[in-house]
Amino acid sequence: MHEAQAVDPTTMLRVLRALAQSPGLTRAQIAGRVGSSRPTVSAALRLLEDRGFLEQRIASDAAERRTGRPPMRVFLAGSAASSVGLEITRTELHAGVFDISGRVLAELRTPLRGAVPLDDAAALVRELVHETSGATAYVLGVGVAVAAPVDRDGRVVDDVVPDGWDGVDLARELAERLALPVAVENDANAAALAEHRFGAGRHCSELLYLRLSPGVGAGLILGDRLYRGAHGIAGELGHVTVDPAGALCSCGSRGCLETIAGTLALEDELRGVRRGVTLAERDDRHVRRLLADAGLAIGAAIATAVNLLDPARVVVGGELADAGPVLFDAIDQGLARDALVPALARTEVVAGTVGPRAPVLGAASALMTRELEALVNPASVL
């Protein structure tokens, strides 16, 4: 008991984060990741295991067995806790329940029926929580992803609030309806967290995530932590000007990346040329031309970010990320044209692997991290 009480809750949270990013670490590997001594890590592991957050298994790797006694590997116990992720887009509500290891327990989508669909969102969350009742010991809360900047206090930035959301405190309104903790995050930031913890950004401490959807946004992981900036507006790469004489953007500027690479802008341009053709028809010459032009612009914007931040990896996600070589070859060309050679040589551009549920999973994961920090605080659990 005394040893558990002496464990810094920050150490326990770092242990949880290390295992979320790299399941199956040994105790020695955890100590290396956390930067603490093995006795300190062992004390944290005992406390977390007593709380039901961890499970240990004997390594199944045959090579490890031949070297003597196989090491014990530590995993997050999926049954320990879950959280809900909710994405509010321009057309639908998308929600999922995830356990502590990131495994989806249930998932639902429903069309958007109002500008601020608070009652519908709450009903969708309640349905999912009821459906997964008993699957885990705790339901920690709800993480919400929205296509707008979110400040450090979790509020949608007033100057760019979506239509009809003026004065709406989304977290408070949903928390009152659900009687659960609620945290709000920008959708690109949430998706960046999902790719960093569970997808193409794993084991990468310096990461740029680019979300190519109706809007274009970026999430930054710097030093293994999400970077929001001073006012929650970091990562608005979609509003970098790539053509000063280009189309008028929703932000009031002209020629923003979003007007060239956002899926709505691409679909509008395609309809003006060929009716009945969609972006999904990758062999159509008009679609290929649009994707190539978009890729060059995206590559140029990424080059600006690479020159400034020097990320180790760029992960491209969102609806346009499955466009294939036409898009990614053009991104590489734009990046090679404008990025500094030393940065370009060390930065890889890859497609995201989490897929369409990235914002939902990331929002749920962010909420889970926040609430686990409270649960592992010795003052509240011992």
Side-chain angles (χ1 to χ4, degrees):
M1 177 68 72
H2 294 298
E3 185 178 30
Q5 287 178 325
V7 178
D8 183 348
T10 302
T11 299
M12 291 189 286
L13 185 61
R14 286 173 177 165
V15 169
L16 290 171
R17 285 174 173 163
L19 290 171
Q21 294 169 10
S22 303
L25 296 174
T26 64
R27 289 172 178 262
Q29 289 170 331
I30 294 171
R33 294 285 187 95
V34 172
S36 299
S37 67
R38 290 187 67 174
T40 298
V41 168
S42 293
L45 289 171
R46 278 195 294 274
L47 178 58
L48 291 169
E49 194 167 18
D50 288 345
R51 294 288 294 168
F53 290 123
L54 303 181
E55 59 185 34
Q56 298 188 65
R57 307 174 201 160
I58 297 176
S60 58
D61 192 309
E64 289 179 328
R65 289 182 180 276
R66 287 197 298 269
T67 61
R69 182 181 177 182
M72 296 295 291
R73 295 195 172 273
V74 185
F75 297 81
L76 294 175
S79 61
S82 60
S83 61
V84 183
L86 170 69
E87 182 185 13
I88 303 176
T89 75
R90 304 180 191 194
T91 59
E92 70 172 6
L93 298 172
H94 176 200
V97 180
F98 302 87
D99 70 16
I100 199 171
S101 67
R103 181 172 62 96
V104 62
L105 303 177
E107 190 173 14
L108 288 173
R109 296 175 182 267
T110 186
L112 202 66
R113 297 193 300 177
V116 189
L118 294 171
D119 291 332
D120 287 348
L124 186 64
V125 171
R126 280 193 291 267
E127 182 178 352
L128 282 172
V129 170
H130 176 74
E131 183 178 335
T132 57
S133 176
T136 61
Y138 299 96
V139 178
L140 295 171
V142 183
V144 184
V146 294
V150 176
D151 66 21
R152 289 180 176 270
D153 296 323
R155 294 174 179 267
V156 178
V157 176
D158 289 338
D159 291 345
V160 290
V161 69
D163 291 342
W165 288 37
D166 301 74
V168 175
D169 187 333
L170 184 58
R172 181 179 62 81
E173 293 279 359
L174 283 177
E176 288 178 354
R177 286 167 169 79
L178 294 166
L180 287 169
V182 176
V184 181
E185 187 56 84
N186 168 262
D187 61 345
N189 283 348
L193 283 172
E195 290 288 354
H196 179 244
R197 295 179 182 179
F198 307 106
R202 287 184 64 186
H203 312 304
C204 181
S205 61
E206 313 293 330
L207 174 74
L208 170 66
Y209 171 85
L210 184 62
R211 179 166 165 78
L212 303 175
S213 289
V216 175
L220 298 170
I221 304 290
L222 303 178
D224 276 324
R225 293 180 177 273
L226 181 65
Y227 180 75
R228 296 180 175 85
H231 309 101
I233 306 178
E236 288 297 323
L237 202 63
H239 297 292
V240 170
T241 300
V242 294
D243 180 7
L248 189 65
C249 181
S250 60
C251 72
S253 296
R254 282 193 178 276
C256 294
L257 179 63
E258 192 170 296
T259 67
I260 297 173
T263 55
L264 287 181
L266 291 173
E267 288 166 355
D268 285 344
E269 187 167 356
L270 187 58
R271 279 194 295 268
V273 177
R274 289 197 65 183
R275 294 189 179 276
V277 177
T278 70
L279 289 174
E281 298 176 46
R282 309 297 190 207
D283 292 331
D284 181 87
R285 67 181 186 279
H286 298 91
V287 172
R288 293 175 68 85
R289 179 72 266 170
L290 284 177
L291 291 176
D293 290 346
L296 286 171
I298 293 165
I302 291 175
T304 299
V306 166
N307 291 343
L308 182 64
L309 299 170
D310 188 28
R313 193 174 304 161
V314 177
V315 177
V316 180
E319 296 172 23
L320 210 60
D322 63 350
V326 174
L327 179 72
F328 279 87
D329 287 350
I331 289 176
D332 288 342
Q333 292 175 29
L335 184 59
R337 183 188 63 196
D338 295 333
L340 292 172
V341 173
L344 179 63
R346 295 171 174 82
T347 302
E348 59 177 338
V349 179
V350 300
T353 58
V354 176
R357 67 164 60 114
V360 173
L361 173 57
S365 179
L367 182 282
M368 189 175 293
T369 298
R370 189 188 78 173
E371 295 303 310
L372 284 176
E373 185 171 7
L375 281 176
V376 301
N377 187 331
S380 63
V381 302
L382 295 179

